[in-house]
Amino acid sequence: KLWPSVFTLTTLAASMALLAIAAKELPIGTAYAVWVGIGATGTALLGILLLHEPATVPRMLCLAGLVLSLIGLKLTA
């Protein structure tokens, strides 16, 4: 399908460009970890919202822990 493919390629290019910008200011390990963490968190949340995956307390606590870890990495970089 054309438009979903165009959207995916556009957002992928933007994501990579933003990672490159972040890597200029942050150590690459931190920049990459935050980049991957944002993707993982977003994917999990979209699964809950759009695919009706379970939003159990342990799952939400793990996502909150991931976000807090990402913030910690950024603040200590």
Side-chain angles (χ1 to χ4, degrees):
K1 296 184 180 183
L2 177 64
W3 293 114
S5 297
V6 169
F7 175 76
T8 299
L9 291 173
T10 302
T11 55
L12 177 61
S15 178
M16 295 296 275
L18 292 171
L19 174 60
I21 292 167
K24 290 179 182 177
E25 301 292 324
L26 297 170
I28 190 63
T30 300
Y32 184 72
V34 170
W35 185 70
V36 169
I38 290 169
T41 301
T43 301
L45 290 174
L46 286 174
I48 290 167
L49 295 172
L50 300 178
L51 303 175
H52 310 292
E53 293 177 356
T56 62
V57 171
R59 240 179 134 188
M60 298 312 289
L61 288 173
C62 288
L63 284 174
L66 177 57
V67 170
L68 289 173
S69 296
L70 296 172
I71 291 168
L73 277 173
K74 169 66 175 87
L75 291 176
T76 60

